[in-house]
Amino acid sequence: MTEDKTQLGLPKVNSSVFAGMEDAANGRLPAAAAPPFRLPAPVAGPAPSGGERTEYPPRGAVASAPVPLVARGAFPAKRNAFVGLDIGLSSIKLVQVYPVSGGWEIGGYAIQELGQPAGGTSPFEIENLARRLKKIFAETGAPRQGVVCGLSGGEVLINLVQLARMPKNELEGACRLEAGRWANFNVEKAIFQSVMVNKEDARPGGKVNHIVAAASRETVNRWLGVLREAGLQAAALLPLPFAWKGYFAAFLPDGETSSAVVDVGSTRTVVAIYKGSQLRFNREFEGGGQHITEAIFRAGEAFGVPNVFSWEEAEEIQRTVDLFSAPGGRQLKGGLTASQIGGIVRPVLEKIVQESKRSFDYYRQLYRQEEVGRVYLCGGGSLPPGLLAFFRELVRQPVEPFSLPDRVRIHDSLGSAEELKPLFPRLARAAALSLSRRWEVNFVPPLDKILQNVLRRKMLLIVPVLSLFLINYLFYRSKASLIPIQRRLVEQQTRELAEIRVRLAPYQELNDLRQHLASGRPAGQAGTTRRPNWKGILKELSRITPPNVIITGIMTLQGDGAQRIICNGRVINSGDAAPAGVTQFIVRVENSPFFQEVRKISEDIDRGTFSFSCTLIY
């Protein structure tokens, strides 16, 4: 009895959140990392101690037959439409919900049972799951963009902690330190995200409630790898307790009362309590649909009739027989009656209900006597007949299944809603994921989110591209239309230029003459340039010329900046006096201030002629 009482307690951690709870009924459950896919069917054997140990049959003992895909709807391509993807232990569910005028509309849904062979070696077979997802989306025609995938498993934990007010840059470190007390994985390699519940102090001391979500980085990368392998673009990896935010915001906008979601899965049950659309409390504990099936499977052992039911028969009884309100004498198999099996199953259901009630009581204690106003049941484990009545019998709050809201329409391809309503509690998780729009917690890395948004809105990229193309085309057309006009203007101006050239021909000739004159020595240059004083030069030659010498000619030579002359003459007295006369004359020329650089050119003694050159000084 003591052991059972301990098993029913809240998981106790060292956080101050659990202060004030009695120790006897608050023992921590062993951390059980539930595999994210279908577990093999249990085999007959001794009952597990405390409901914690599960034995499985040897490989190949029980093989699940392939279950056909249940898909309805056309999954129309709508703007701002997301596909909620819920990957559970026993099945894969997907639902498309998109906003329409006046509410929401379901465009399609699908359920694929995971018919894995019993005794599967790996609970997380990436290749196998990716192949299944690719096949499901291909057969249903569901859009591969904008997929919101629920994140669950033993390495994804959510807890409520109380922290002092601190800056945001210190909050992650405090969350990491706090999570080290209750996480069953390496928190140093984990991703943390936290949401402040309310700004008011929940307890004295100025502390604030935070919902802390921690996920192993390896798990997140593994999920993203599965989705990429399946060709899906994940808009969000959303922990399941945060998935109901969009549902409550859309259909239960009243934030005055608190509402609880009891999600009964295959092996674990999640209790999430919302006030309005804000998650304020979350707890997960052992117990689910497969434990109910296991209790039916082992029911014969309690009455000495082992191996009465196969695992498939136990699942069929769970789905179809109300074990609590059915006639007590109804025979099922092997002499076992419905009331006998109900007595075996009842402790399993009581554990789920009692743990849910304890969560409601703790919420009331944590939030200053605030009561849970309504309870909603969902998940595949909540579908057994009689479970709803069993909850209502033991829980004082109104309990109702997750039903199809009135504001949700059905696409024409789905036909009537009558077929969908019985399945909606099982599809509620995927529908809530699809309703999510603003994700408080999203484990998709920021770079991936940017790429996903770009890819998801790739049609928006076409708009600027087309706009630029249109602008360039219009610019080209506008310039192309000006080409004939410009050509005509050029031709007209060419004709006018030719006429002007004809009229300016005389002026052109005059201009050419001016240029020709300008290329030579200017006309006034001769008057401005210094010239030899020929009068003085000739007078000096006359003065220094001997009486017997006659100058017969003078020629001028233009040198490099100097004026040279060549003088030709003859001597009247021939004979011995001729050389002396020539020499005397040349000496006089050299000594004259008007001449320099005197050079004898020639001298003929017989004839008495001579010539010399000199440079004029002026």
Side-chain angles (χ1 to χ4, degrees), residues 222-245:
R222 208 184 317 174
W223 280 98
L224 290 174
V226 168
L227 298 178
R228 292 194 190 102
E229 184 71 19
L232 306 180
Q233 297 177 6
L237 277 181
L238 191 62
L240 291 178
F242 289 93
W244 307 104
K245 175 182 174 64

Side-chain angles (χ1 to χ4, degrees), residues 42-43 49 86 129 131 163 176 195 224 236 249 263 343 364 418 422 433 483 492:
V43 70
S49 175
D86 175 26
L129 178 60
R131 185 175 67 252
L163 300 172
R176 192 179 299 273
V195 178
L224 290 174
D263 188 351
R364 180 171 56 86
E418 297 303 321
L433 288 168
I483 291 176
Q492 180 180 355

Side-chain angles (χ1 to χ4, degrees), residues 77-93:
K78 295 286 186 177
R79 181 178 177 271
N80 199 24
F82 290 90
V83 176
L85 178 60
D86 175 26
I87 302 176
L89 295 175
S90 59
S91 61
I92 298 174
K93 287 85 66 177

Side-chain angles (χ1 to χ4, degrees), residues 552-574:
T552 58
I554 299 175
M555 293 189 304
T556 61
L557 297 174
Q558 186 67 37
D560 296 336
Q563 183 78 39
R564 293 181 65 83
I565 61 173
I566 297 176
C567 294
N568 299 319
R570 65 186 179 87
V571 181
I572 298 176
N573 296 328
S574 58

Side-chain angles (χ1 to χ4, degrees), residues 250-262:
F251 306 114
L252 298 174
D254 184 13
E256 297 299 326
T257 60
S258 299
S259 302
V261 178
V262 179

